[in-house]
Amino acid sequence: MKFSFKNDYSEGCHPKILEALLRYNLDQQAGYGEDEYSLKAKKIIKEKLNNKDASIYFVSGGTQANLIVISSVLRPYQCVISASTGHILNNETGAIEATGHKILNVETEDGKLKPSDIQPVLDNHKNIPHQVMPKLVYISNSTELGTIYSKEELQNLSEFCRLNNLYLFMDGARLGHALTSEINDLNLENLGKLTDVFYLGGTKNGALIGEAIIINNQLLQEDFAFNIKQKGALLAKGRLLGIQFLELMKDDLYFDLAKHANQQAMKIKNVLLERGVQFLSETFTNQIFPILNHKLIDVLSEKFQFYVWKDVNEDYSAVRLITSWNTSDEAVSDFIKIIDHHL
């Protein structure tokens, strides 16, 4: 059986979550997220945010979180600004457009947006009322290219959005990996102050399913629950999500799992760097994009699954390797052995 470096949701869930689901299985609880486990998990998240006024909602997946947040925040004539690599643009089957909202994409080298990237979009949408109105900036942390935002970058972006009456929404499907990166200087409390909405991704970091939407802007909190219900995301047995986030958050298991994934990726990255391999982007998270010759890619493909991400020339392609909370030392060691033998 091949070991998968294709994505960070190939695994099931962390054993502590399965144990908790079994332990609490016969407890009778209120439905629709009013169970004691969901309420406890939300309390812990608010404490980590240092924001008792945040609103928190658990949903099953990232596309669902993006769709519900964006469709509830925007008026029918408003649109989203995203990097061209953004998940909502490339990997969600037009979910955002299906709600009637246009996505304005911006080409970036590293998957991140800067104020200087957004200003031209605003300048080109002043033909009122004949063009859509840019209203929300969508970013990912970590990005689809494995890069992360620094505190200074996010502060600049947040200030720009507020000065230009834009909402800032952070896709946190891989937020754990961003916040435990060796070069990261952000924390949850910063995100609570610098974004209007963000979410903590559980699906790609140890949960069976689940994302925690966190609404910091109180103007956006009103009636949000109606949007959850209307889009089919309000689980009757909300405990399924609450128990998982309670286990992930109460002893910082969430961050321990993400840190492990990052460390496993960095082991592979450092070996490749030592052998002169170049990378498509400079990353310090659980996603790396080494540029390898096709012969080596074929050899590695015999034992490992991964995506050939982008052809560089006739002889080389960038591949995407993603490690997870459960990536073993053995898998990393076997990968490195093949690298050692062929480079």
Side-chain angles (χ1 to χ4, degrees), residues 62-71 73-74 79-92 96 102-106 108 111-114 117-118 134-144 149 154 157 161 166-174 195-199 204:
T63 298
Q64 194 176 65
N66 290 333
L67 183 154
I68 292 169
V69 168
I70 293 173
S71 64
V73 164
L74 298 185
C79 66
V80 190
I81 300 171
S82 167
S84 58
T85 52
H87 203 270
I88 59 171
L89 197 66
N90 298 297
N91 298 97
E92 295 185 355
I96 306 307
K102 187 174 183 178
I103 303 173
L104 303 176
N105 65 300
V106 178
T108 68
K112 296 191 288 185
L113 286 177
K114 305 184 296 294
D117 298 318
I118 301 170
K135 185 61 178 179
L136 184 144
V137 174
Y138 167 92
I139 61 175
S140 305
N141 197 31
S142 59
T143 71
E144 292 74 14
Y149 284 86
L154 191 61
L157 193 54
C161 287
L166 300 169
Y167 297 126
L168 181 58
F169 170 40
M170 178 182 285
D171 178 326
R174 293 191 173 96
T195 69
D196 293 289
V197 189
F198 74 97
Y199 67 89
K204 294 179 178 177

Short mmCIF file of all heavy atoms in Angstrom, two decimals, residues 62-71 73-74 79-92 96 102-106 108 111-114 117-118 134-144 149 154 157 161 166-174 195-199 204:
data_model
loop_
_atom_site.label_atom_id
_atom_site.label_comp_id
_atom_site.label_asym_id
_atom_site.label_seq_id
_atom_site.Cartn_x
_atom_site.Cartn_y
_atom_site.Cartn_z
N GLY A 62 -14.84 22.90 4.85
CA GLY A 62 -14.33 24.19 4.44
C GLY A 62 -15.14 24.87 3.36
O GLY A 62 -15.40 26.08 3.43
N THR A 63 -15.56 24.14 2.35
CA THR A 63 -16.39 24.74 1.30
C THR A 63 -17.69 25.26 1.90
O THR A 63 -18.17 26.34 1.55
CB THR A 63 -16.68 23.72 0.18
OG1 THR A 63 -15.44 23.34 -0.43
CG2 THR A 63 -17.59 24.31 -0.87
N GLN A 64 -18.25 24.49 2.80
CA GLN A 64 -19.48 24.91 3.47
C GLN A 64 -19.24 26.19 4.27
O GLN A 64 -20.06 27.13 4.23
CB GLN A 64 -19.94 23.79 4.39
CG GLN A 64 -21.36 23.93 4.91
CD GLN A 64 -21.77 22.72 5.73
OE1 GLN A 64 -21.19 22.48 6.80
NE2 GLN A 64 -22.74 21.97 5.25
N ALA A 65 -18.12 26.27 4.97
CA ALA A 65 -17.80 27.47 5.74
C ALA A 65 -17.65 28.68 4.83
O ALA A 65 -18.21 29.75 5.10
CB ALA A 65 -16.53 27.24 6.55
N ASN A 66 -16.91 28.52 3.75
CA ASN A 66 -16.69 29.63 2.82
C ASN A 66 -18.00 30.11 2.21
O ASN A 66 -18.27 31.31 2.12
CB ASN A 66 -15.72 29.21 1.72
CG ASN A 66 -14.31 29.03 2.23
OD1 ASN A 66 -13.90 29.64 3.21
ND2 ASN A 66 -13.54 28.18 1.57
N LEU A 67 -18.81 29.16 1.77
CA LEU A 67 -20.08 29.50 1.12
C LEU A 67 -21.01 30.24 2.08
O LEU A 67 -21.60 31.27 1.72
CB LEU A 67 -20.73 28.21 0.61
CG LEU A 67 -22.03 28.29 -0.18
CD1 LEU A 67 -22.16 27.08 -1.09
CD2 LEU A 67 -23.25 28.35 0.73
N ILE A 68 -21.13 29.73 3.29
CA ILE A 68 -22.06 30.34 4.25
C ILE A 68 -21.60 31.72 4.67
O ILE A 68 -22.38 32.67 4.72
CB ILE A 68 -22.24 29.43 5.47
CG1 ILE A 68 -22.97 28.14 5.07
CG2 ILE A 68 -23.02 30.14 6.57
CD1 ILE A 68 -22.96 27.08 6.13
N VAL A 69 -20.31 31.86 4.97
CA VAL A 69 -19.81 33.16 5.40
C VAL A 69 -19.98 34.20 4.30
O VAL A 69 -20.55 35.28 4.52
CB VAL A 69 -18.32 33.06 5.81
CG1 VAL A 69 -17.71 34.46 5.97
CG2 VAL A 69 -18.17 32.28 7.11
N ILE A 70 -19.51 33.88 3.10
CA ILE A 70 -19.52 34.87 2.03
C ILE A 70 -20.95 35.23 1.62
O ILE A 70 -21.29 36.40 1.42
CB ILE A 70 -18.69 34.37 0.83
CG1 ILE A 70 -17.21 34.32 1.25
CG2 ILE A 70 -18.86 35.28 -0.37
CD1 ILE A 70 -16.29 33.68 0.23
N SER A 71 -21.81 34.23 1.50
CA SER A 71 -23.18 34.51 1.06
C SER A 71 -23.97 35.27 2.11
O SER A 71 -24.90 36.02 1.78
CB SER A 71 -23.91 33.21 0.70
OG SER A 71 -24.06 32.38 1.84
N VAL A 73 -22.57 37.46 4.36
CA VAL A 73 -21.96 38.78 4.58
C VAL A 73 -22.30 39.75 3.46
O VAL A 73 -22.52 40.95 3.70
CB VAL A 73 -20.43 38.62 4.72
CG1 VAL A 73 -19.72 39.96 4.56
CG2 VAL A 73 -20.08 38.00 6.07
N LEU A 74 -22.34 39.24 2.21
CA LEU A 74 -22.47 40.13 1.06
C LEU A 74 -23.92 40.36 0.65
O LEU A 74 -24.75 39.46 0.72
CB LEU A 74 -21.71 39.54 -0.13
CG LEU A 74 -20.20 39.37 0.04
CD1 LEU A 74 -19.58 38.91 -1.27
CD2 LEU A 74 -19.54 40.66 0.50
N CYS A 79 -19.14 41.72 -4.20
CA CYS A 79 -18.29 40.64 -4.67
C CYS A 79 -17.08 40.44 -3.75
O CYS A 79 -16.85 41.19 -2.80
CB CYS A 79 -17.83 40.91 -6.10
SG CYS A 79 -16.74 42.35 -6.25
N VAL A 80 -16.30 39.41 -4.09
CA VAL A 80 -15.16 38.96 -3.29
C VAL A 80 -13.88 39.22 -4.06
O VAL A 80 -13.82 39.00 -5.27
CB VAL A 80 -15.25 37.45 -3.00
CG1 VAL A 80 -14.21 37.03 -1.99
CG2 VAL A 80 -16.63 37.04 -2.58
N ILE A 81 -12.83 39.61 -3.35
CA ILE A 81 -11.48 39.71 -3.94
C ILE A 81 -10.65 38.56 -3.38
O ILE A 81 -10.59 38.34 -2.18
CB ILE A 81 -10.82 41.06 -3.59
CG1 ILE A 81 -11.65 42.22 -4.12
CG2 ILE A 81 -9.40 41.11 -4.15
CD1 ILE A 81 -11.18 43.59 -3.65
N SER A 82 -9.99 37.81 -4.28
CA SER A 82 -9.21 36.65 -3.87
C SER A 82 -7.94 36.57 -4.70
O SER A 82 -7.91 36.99 -5.86
CB SER A 82 -10.04 35.37 -4.09
OG SER A 82 -9.24 34.21 -3.99
N ALA A 83 -6.90 36.00 -4.12
CA ALA A 83 -5.72 35.64 -4.90
C ALA A 83 -6.13 34.59 -5.93
O ALA A 83 -7.07 33.81 -5.70
CB ALA A 83 -4.62 35.09 -4.00
N SER A 84 -5.45 34.54 -7.05
CA SER A 84 -5.83 33.61 -8.12
C SER A 84 -5.67 32.16 -7.69
O SER A 84 -6.25 31.26 -8.32
CB SER A 84 -4.98 33.88 -9.37
OG SER A 84 -3.60 33.75 -9.07
N THR A 85 -4.89 31.93 -6.64
CA THR A 85 -4.72 30.56 -6.12
C THR A 85 -5.78 30.20 -5.09
O THR A 85 -5.80 29.07 -4.60
CB THR A 85 -3.34 30.43 -5.45
OG1 THR A 85 -3.18 31.50 -4.50
CG2 THR A 85 -2.23 30.50 -6.48
N GLY A 86 -6.67 31.14 -4.75
CA GLY A 86 -7.64 30.93 -3.68
C GLY A 86 -8.50 29.70 -3.86
O GLY A 86 -8.95 29.37 -4.97
N HIS A 87 -8.77 29.03 -2.76
CA HIS A 87 -9.55 27.79 -2.80
C HIS A 87 -10.94 28.03 -3.37
O HIS A 87 -11.48 27.20 -4.11
CB HIS A 87 -9.64 27.20 -1.39
CG HIS A 87 -9.92 25.74 -1.36
ND1 HIS A 87 -11.19 25.23 -1.33
CD2 HIS A 87 -9.08 24.67 -1.36
CE1 HIS A 87 -11.14 23.91 -1.31
NE2 HIS A 87 -9.88 23.53 -1.33
N ILE A 88 -11.55 29.17 -3.03
CA ILE A 88 -12.91 29.46 -3.51
C ILE A 88 -12.94 29.63 -5.02
O ILE A 88 -13.99 29.45 -5.65
CB ILE A 88 -13.50 30.73 -2.84
CG1 ILE A 88 -12.63 31.95 -3.11
CG2 ILE A 88 -13.71 30.50 -1.35
CD1 ILE A 88 -13.26 33.26 -2.68
N LEU A 89 -11.79 29.93 -5.60
CA LEU A 89 -11.73 30.18 -7.05
C LEU A 89 -11.48 28.89 -7.83
O LEU A 89 -11.99 28.72 -8.94
CB LEU A 89 -10.62 31.19 -7.34
CG LEU A 89 -10.65 31.89 -8.70
CD1 LEU A 89 -11.86 32.79 -8.81
CD2 LEU A 89 -9.37 32.70 -8.89
N ASN A 90 -10.72 27.98 -7.25
CA ASN A 90 -10.24 26.83 -8.01
C ASN A 90 -10.76 25.47 -7.56
O ASN A 90 -10.67 24.51 -8.33
CB ASN A 90 -8.70 26.78 -7.94
CG ASN A 90 -8.06 28.00 -8.56
OD1 ASN A 90 -8.21 28.24 -9.74
ND2 ASN A 90 -7.35 28.79 -7.76
N ASN A 91 -11.26 25.37 -6.35
CA ASN A 91 -11.54 24.04 -5.81
C ASN A 91 -12.92 23.89 -5.17
O ASN A 91 -13.12 22.99 -4.36
CB ASN A 91 -10.47 23.66 -4.78
CG ASN A 91 -9.09 23.58 -5.41
OD1 ASN A 91 -8.32 24.53 -5.35
ND2 ASN A 91 -8.79 22.46 -6.04
N GLU A 92 -13.85 24.78 -5.51
CA GLU A 92 -15.15 24.69 -4.86
C GLU A 92 -16.31 24.70 -5.84
O GLU A 92 -17.43 25.10 -5.51
CB GLU A 92 -15.29 25.79 -3.79
CG GLU A 92 -14.29 25.58 -2.66
CD GLU A 92 -14.42 26.55 -1.50
OE1 GLU A 92 -15.24 27.48 -1.59
OE2 GLU A 92 -13.71 26.36 -0.51
N ILE A 96 -19.30 29.75 -4.63
CA ILE A 96 -19.54 31.17 -4.32
C ILE A 96 -20.35 31.81 -5.43
O ILE A 96 -21.32 32.54 -5.17
CB ILE A 96 -18.21 31.91 -4.11
CG1 ILE A 96 -17.35 31.21 -3.05
CG2 ILE A 96 -18.47 33.37 -3.74
CD1 ILE A 96 -18.04 30.97 -1.73
N LYS A 102 -19.77 37.38 -7.51
CA LYS A 102 -18.60 37.29 -8.38
C LYS A 102 -17.31 37.27 -7.56
O LYS A 102 -17.23 37.91 -6.50
CB LYS A 102 -18.60 38.49 -9.34
CG LYS A 102 -17.54 38.44 -10.42
CD LYS A 102 -17.72 39.59 -11.39
CE LYS A 102 -16.71 39.51 -12.53
NZ LYS A 102 -16.92 40.62 -13.51
N ILE A 103 -16.31 36.54 -8.06
CA ILE A 103 -14.98 36.55 -7.44
C ILE A 103 -14.04 37.30 -8.37
O ILE A 103 -13.88 36.93 -9.54
CB ILE A 103 -14.45 35.12 -7.21
CG1 ILE A 103 -15.42 34.31 -6.34
CG2 ILE A 103 -13.07 35.18 -6.55
CD1 ILE A 103 -15.03 32.84 -6.21
N LEU A 104 -13.41 38.35 -7.86
CA LEU A 104 -12.40 39.09 -8.61
C LEU A 104 -11.04 38.56 -8.19
O LEU A 104 -10.65 38.68 -7.02
CB LEU A 104 -12.51 40.59 -8.31
CG LEU A 104 -13.87 41.24 -8.60
CD1 LEU A 104 -13.85 42.70 -8.16
CD2 LEU A 104 -14.22 41.13 -10.08
N ASN A 105 -10.32 37.95 -9.13
CA ASN A 105 -9.05 37.32 -8.75
C ASN A 105 -7.85 38.19 -9.08
O ASN A 105 -7.85 38.95 -10.06
CB ASN A 105 -8.91 35.94 -9.40
CG ASN A 105 -8.83 36.01 -10.90
OD1 ASN A 105 -9.74 36.51 -11.55
ND2 ASN A 105 -7.75 35.52 -11.46
N VAL A 106 -6.83 38.07 -8.25
CA VAL A 106 -5.60 38.84 -8.37
C VAL A 106 -4.43 37.88 -8.46
O VAL A 106 -4.30 36.97 -7.64
CB VAL A 106 -5.41 39.78 -7.15
CG1 VAL A 106 -4.10 40.55 -7.27
CG2 VAL A 106 -6.59 40.73 -7.01
N THR A 108 -0.86 36.62 -7.82
CA THR A 108 0.20 36.85 -6.85
C THR A 108 1.24 35.74 -6.98
O THR A 108 0.92 34.64 -7.44
CB THR A 108 -0.33 36.85 -5.39
OG1 THR A 108 -0.77 35.53 -5.06
CG2 THR A 108 -1.48 37.83 -5.24
N GLY A 111 0.70 33.46 -3.31
CA GLY A 111 -0.62 33.11 -2.81
C GLY A 111 -1.18 34.06 -1.77
O GLY A 111 -2.29 33.85 -1.26
N LYS A 112 -0.44 35.12 -1.44
CA LYS A 112 -0.88 36.09 -0.43
C LYS A 112 -1.32 37.39 -1.10
O LYS A 112 -0.84 37.75 -2.17
CB LYS A 112 0.26 36.37 0.57
CG LYS A 112 0.67 35.16 1.37
CD LYS A 112 1.60 35.51 2.52
CE LYS A 112 2.98 35.90 2.07
NZ LYS A 112 3.89 36.12 3.21
N LEU A 113 -2.23 38.09 -0.43
CA LEU A 113 -2.69 39.39 -0.92
C LEU A 113 -2.08 40.51 -0.09
O LEU A 113 -1.98 40.40 1.14
CB LEU A 113 -4.22 39.49 -0.84
CG LEU A 113 -5.03 38.71 -1.87
CD1 LEU A 113 -6.52 38.88 -1.58
CD2 LEU A 113 -4.72 39.18 -3.29
N LYS A 114 -1.71 41.60 -0.76
CA LYS A 114 -1.21 42.81 -0.12
C LYS A 114 -2.14 43.97 -0.50
O LYS A 114 -2.84 43.89 -1.52
CB LYS A 114 0.23 43.12 -0.56
CG LYS A 114 1.22 42.00 -0.35
CD LYS A 114 2.61 42.44 -0.73
CE LYS A 114 2.75 42.76 -2.22
NZ LYS A 114 2.57 41.58 -3.09
N ASP A 117 -2.04 44.90 -4.02
CA ASP A 117 -2.73 44.01 -4.95
C ASP A 117 -4.21 44.37 -5.07
O ASP A 117 -4.82 44.18 -6.13
CB ASP A 117 -2.64 42.54 -4.47
CG ASP A 117 -1.22 42.02 -4.41
OD1 ASP A 117 -0.45 42.32 -5.34
OD2 ASP A 117 -0.88 41.32 -3.43
N ILE A 118 -4.76 44.87 -3.98
CA ILE A 118 -6.21 45.11 -3.93
C ILE A 118 -6.58 46.48 -4.47
O ILE A 118 -7.65 46.65 -5.07
CB ILE A 118 -6.70 44.97 -2.47
CG1 ILE A 118 -6.38 43.56 -1.95
CG2 ILE A 118 -8.18 45.26 -2.35
CD1 ILE A 118 -6.61 43.40 -0.46
N PRO A 134 -16.81 45.67 -4.86
CA PRO A 134 -15.90 44.88 -4.02
C PRO A 134 -16.19 45.16 -2.54
O PRO A 134 -16.25 46.31 -2.12
CB PRO A 134 -14.50 45.40 -4.41
CG PRO A 134 -14.68 46.01 -5.76
CD PRO A 134 -16.07 46.59 -5.74
N LYS A 135 -16.39 44.09 -1.76
CA LYS A 135 -16.76 44.29 -0.37
C LYS A 135 -16.03 43.37 0.59
O LYS A 135 -15.88 43.70 1.77
CB LYS A 135 -18.28 44.09 -0.21
CG LYS A 135 -18.83 44.39 1.18
CD LYS A 135 -18.60 45.84 1.58
CE LYS A 135 -19.18 46.14 2.95
NZ LYS A 135 -18.93 47.55 3.36
N LEU A 136 -15.56 42.22 0.13
CA LEU A 136 -14.91 41.26 1.02
C LEU A 136 -13.59 40.80 0.43
O LEU A 136 -13.51 40.47 -0.76
CB LEU A 136 -15.84 40.07 1.26
CG LEU A 136 -15.37 39.00 2.24
CD1 LEU A 136 -16.54 38.43 3.04
CD2 LEU A 136 -14.65 37.86 1.52
N VAL A 137 -12.57 40.77 1.26
CA VAL A 137 -11.26 40.23 0.86
C VAL A 137 -11.10 38.86 1.48
O VAL A 137 -11.21 38.69 2.69
CB VAL A 137 -10.12 41.17 1.32
CG1 VAL A 137 -8.76 40.54 1.05
CG2 VAL A 137 -10.23 42.52 0.62
N TYR A 138 -10.87 37.88 0.62
CA TYR A 138 -10.71 36.48 1.04
C TYR A 138 -9.24 36.10 1.00
O TYR A 138 -8.58 36.26 -0.03
CB TYR A 138 -11.52 35.57 0.11
CG TYR A 138 -11.21 34.09 0.23
CD1 TYR A 138 -11.93 33.27 1.10
CD2 TYR A 138 -10.20 33.51 -0.54
CE1 TYR A 138 -11.65 31.91 1.20
CE2 TYR A 138 -9.92 32.15 -0.44
CZ TYR A 138 -10.64 31.36 0.42
OH TYR A 138 -10.36 30.02 0.52
N ILE A 139 -8.72 35.62 2.13
CA ILE A 139 -7.34 35.14 2.18
C ILE A 139 -7.30 33.77 2.84
O ILE A 139 -8.23 33.39 3.55
CB ILE A 139 -6.41 36.12 2.94
CG1 ILE A 139 -6.87 36.27 4.40
CG2 ILE A 139 -6.34 37.46 2.23
CD1 ILE A 139 -5.93 37.12 5.26
N SER A 140 -6.24 33.03 2.60
CA SER A 140 -6.04 31.73 3.24
C SER A 140 -4.75 31.76 4.04
O SER A 140 -3.75 32.35 3.62
CB SER A 140 -5.93 30.61 2.18
OG SER A 140 -7.03 30.60 1.33
N ASN A 141 -4.78 31.11 5.21
CA ASN A 141 -3.58 31.03 6.05
C ASN A 141 -3.57 29.68 6.76
O ASN A 141 -4.40 29.45 7.63
CB ASN A 141 -3.59 32.17 7.08
CG ASN A 141 -2.23 32.40 7.70
OD1 ASN A 141 -1.22 32.19 7.05
ND2 ASN A 141 -2.20 32.85 8.95
N SER A 142 -2.65 28.77 6.36
CA SER A 142 -1.69 28.95 5.29
C SER A 142 -2.37 28.94 3.94
O SER A 142 -3.48 28.43 3.79
CB SER A 142 -0.62 27.86 5.34
OG SER A 142 -1.17 26.56 5.23
N THR A 143 -1.66 29.50 2.95
CA THR A 143 -2.23 29.63 1.61
C THR A 143 -2.19 28.29 0.89
O THR A 143 -1.62 27.30 1.37
CB THR A 143 -1.44 30.65 0.78
OG1 THR A 143 -0.15 30.10 0.46
CG2 THR A 143 -1.26 31.97 1.52
N GLU A 144 -2.78 28.29 -0.28
CA GLU A 144 -2.79 27.09 -1.12
C GLU A 144 -1.39 26.75 -1.62
O GLU A 144 -1.16 25.65 -2.13
CB GLU A 144 -3.74 27.29 -2.30
CG GLU A 144 -5.20 27.37 -1.91
CD GLU A 144 -5.61 28.69 -1.25
OE1 GLU A 144 -4.82 29.66 -1.31
OE2 GLU A 144 -6.70 28.74 -0.66
N TYR A 149 0.96 34.29 6.42
CA TYR A 149 0.98 35.74 6.65
C TYR A 149 1.74 36.04 7.94
O TYR A 149 1.53 35.38 8.97
CB TYR A 149 -0.44 36.29 6.78
CG TYR A 149 -1.16 36.42 5.46
CD1 TYR A 149 -1.84 35.33 4.91
CD2 TYR A 149 -1.16 37.62 4.75
CE1 TYR A 149 -2.51 35.44 3.69
CE2 TYR A 149 -1.81 37.73 3.54
CZ TYR A 149 -2.48 36.65 3.01
OH TYR A 149 -3.13 36.76 1.80
N LEU A 154 -0.54 40.96 8.00
CA LEU A 154 -1.97 40.91 8.32
C LEU A 154 -2.45 42.24 8.89
O LEU A 154 -3.56 42.69 8.60
CB LEU A 154 -2.26 39.77 9.29
CG LEU A 154 -3.75 39.46 9.49
CD1 LEU A 154 -4.39 39.04 8.17
CD2 LEU A 154 -3.95 38.37 10.54
N LEU A 157 -2.90 44.58 5.97
CA LEU A 157 -4.08 44.20 5.20
C LEU A 157 -5.36 44.56 5.95
O LEU A 157 -6.32 45.08 5.37
CB LEU A 157 -4.03 42.70 4.91
CG LEU A 157 -5.00 42.14 3.86
CD1 LEU A 157 -4.86 42.89 2.54
CD2 LEU A 157 -4.75 40.65 3.67
N CYS A 161 -8.24 47.22 4.73
CA CYS A 161 -9.64 46.83 4.57
C CYS A 161 -10.56 47.76 5.35
O CYS A 161 -11.62 48.17 4.86
CB CYS A 161 -9.83 45.38 5.02
SG CYS A 161 -9.16 44.15 3.87
N LEU A 166 -13.98 47.43 3.66
CA LEU A 166 -13.99 46.05 3.18
C LEU A 166 -13.96 45.10 4.36
O LEU A 166 -13.30 45.37 5.38
CB LEU A 166 -12.76 45.76 2.30
CG LEU A 166 -12.59 46.60 1.04
CD1 LEU A 166 -11.19 46.37 0.45
CD2 LEU A 166 -13.65 46.26 0.00
N TYR A 167 -14.63 43.96 4.25
CA TYR A 167 -14.51 42.92 5.25
C TYR A 167 -13.30 42.04 4.93
O TYR A 167 -12.99 41.81 3.76
CB TYR A 167 -15.77 42.04 5.26
CG TYR A 167 -17.03 42.75 5.63
CD1 TYR A 167 -18.15 42.71 4.80
CD2 TYR A 167 -17.13 43.47 6.82
CE1 TYR A 167 -19.33 43.36 5.13
CE2 TYR A 167 -18.31 44.13 7.17
CZ TYR A 167 -19.40 44.07 6.31
OH TYR A 167 -20.55 44.71 6.66
N LEU A 168 -12.65 41.53 5.98
CA LEU A 168 -11.51 40.63 5.81
C LEU A 168 -11.88 39.26 6.37
O LEU A 168 -12.19 39.12 7.56
CB LEU A 168 -10.28 41.18 6.53
CG LEU A 168 -9.00 40.34 6.41
CD1 LEU A 168 -8.60 40.16 4.94
CD2 LEU A 168 -7.85 40.99 7.19
N PHE A 169 -11.85 38.26 5.50
CA PHE A 169 -12.24 36.90 5.84
C PHE A 169 -11.06 35.96 5.60
O PHE A 169 -10.54 35.89 4.49
CB PHE A 169 -13.45 36.48 5.00
CG PHE A 169 -13.81 35.02 5.09
CD1 PHE A 169 -13.77 34.33 6.29
CD2 PHE A 169 -14.23 34.35 3.96
CE1 PHE A 169 -14.12 32.99 6.36
CE2 PHE A 169 -14.60 33.01 4.01
CZ PHE A 169 -14.53 32.33 5.21
N MET A 170 -10.66 35.23 6.64
CA MET A 170 -9.54 34.30 6.52
C MET A 170 -10.02 32.85 6.51
O MET A 170 -10.66 32.39 7.45
CB MET A 170 -8.55 34.49 7.69
CG MET A 170 -7.37 33.51 7.66
SD MET A 170 -6.24 33.70 9.05
CE MET A 170 -5.40 35.21 8.57
N ASP A 171 -9.71 32.16 5.43
CA ASP A 171 -9.94 30.72 5.31
C ASP A 171 -8.86 30.03 6.15
O ASP A 171 -7.67 30.14 5.87
CB ASP A 171 -9.83 30.33 3.84
CG ASP A 171 -10.01 28.85 3.58
OD1 ASP A 171 -9.61 28.02 4.43
OD2 ASP A 171 -10.52 28.49 2.49
N GLY A 172 -9.31 29.32 7.19
CA GLY A 172 -8.36 28.69 8.10
C GLY A 172 -8.35 27.18 8.01
O GLY A 172 -8.12 26.50 9.01
N ALA A 173 -8.60 26.64 6.82
CA ALA A 173 -8.59 25.18 6.66
C ALA A 173 -7.28 24.59 7.18
O ALA A 173 -7.26 23.51 7.76
CB ALA A 173 -8.81 24.81 5.20
N ARG A 174 -6.17 25.32 6.97
CA ARG A 174 -4.86 24.88 7.47
C ARG A 174 -4.29 25.91 8.45
O ARG A 174 -3.08 26.13 8.52
CB ARG A 174 -3.89 24.67 6.31
CG ARG A 174 -4.28 23.49 5.40
CD ARG A 174 -3.17 23.14 4.41
NE ARG A 174 -3.50 21.94 3.68
CZ ARG A 174 -4.06 21.93 2.45
NH1 ARG A 174 -4.32 23.07 1.84
NH2 ARG A 174 -4.33 20.79 1.85
N THR A 195 -9.15 40.27 11.88
CA THR A 195 -10.07 39.80 10.84
C THR A 195 -11.51 40.04 11.29
O THR A 195 -11.80 40.12 12.49
CB THR A 195 -9.89 38.30 10.56
OG1 THR A 195 -10.33 37.53 11.69
CG2 THR A 195 -8.43 37.96 10.24
N ASP A 196 -12.39 40.12 10.32
CA ASP A 196 -13.82 40.19 10.64
C ASP A 196 -14.37 38.80 10.90
O ASP A 196 -15.20 38.61 11.80
CB ASP A 196 -14.58 40.84 9.47
CG ASP A 196 -14.22 42.30 9.30
OD1 ASP A 196 -14.61 43.11 10.17
OD2 ASP A 196 -13.53 42.63 8.32
N VAL A 197 -13.91 37.84 10.11
CA VAL A 197 -14.32 36.45 10.25
C VAL A 197 -13.13 35.56 9.89
O VAL A 197 -12.38 35.89 8.96
CB VAL A 197 -15.49 36.08 9.32
CG1 VAL A 197 -16.03 34.68 9.65
CG2 VAL A 197 -16.61 37.10 9.37
N PHE A 198 -12.96 34.46 10.60
CA PHE A 198 -12.02 33.42 10.18
C PHE A 198 -12.53 32.09 10.68
O PHE A 198 -13.51 32.03 11.41
CB PHE A 198 -10.60 33.70 10.68
CG PHE A 198 -10.37 33.46 12.15
CD1 PHE A 198 -9.82 32.26 12.61
CD2 PHE A 198 -10.67 34.45 13.10
CE1 PHE A 198 -9.59 32.04 13.96
CE2 PHE A 198 -10.44 34.24 14.45
CZ PHE A 198 -9.90 33.03 14.89
N TYR A 199 -11.89 31.02 10.24
CA TYR A 199 -12.29 29.74 10.82
C TYR A 199 -11.10 28.85 11.09
O TYR A 199 -10.04 28.95 10.47
CB TYR A 199 -13.36 29.02 9.98
CG TYR A 199 -12.98 28.51 8.61
CD1 TYR A 199 -12.44 27.23 8.43
CD2 TYR A 199 -13.25 29.27 7.47
CE1 TYR A 199 -12.17 26.75 7.16
CE2 TYR A 199 -12.98 28.79 6.21
CZ TYR A 199 -12.43 27.53 6.06
OH TYR A 199 -12.16 27.05 4.79
N LYS A 204 -8.59 19.02 8.22
CA LYS A 204 -7.22 18.78 7.78
C LYS A 204 -6.23 18.72 8.94
O LYS A 204 -5.02 18.74 8.73
CB LYS A 204 -6.81 19.88 6.79
CG LYS A 204 -7.61 19.83 5.49
CD LYS A 204 -7.23 20.93 4.53
CE LYS A 204 -8.05 20.79 3.24
NZ LYS A 204 -7.80 21.87 2.28
#
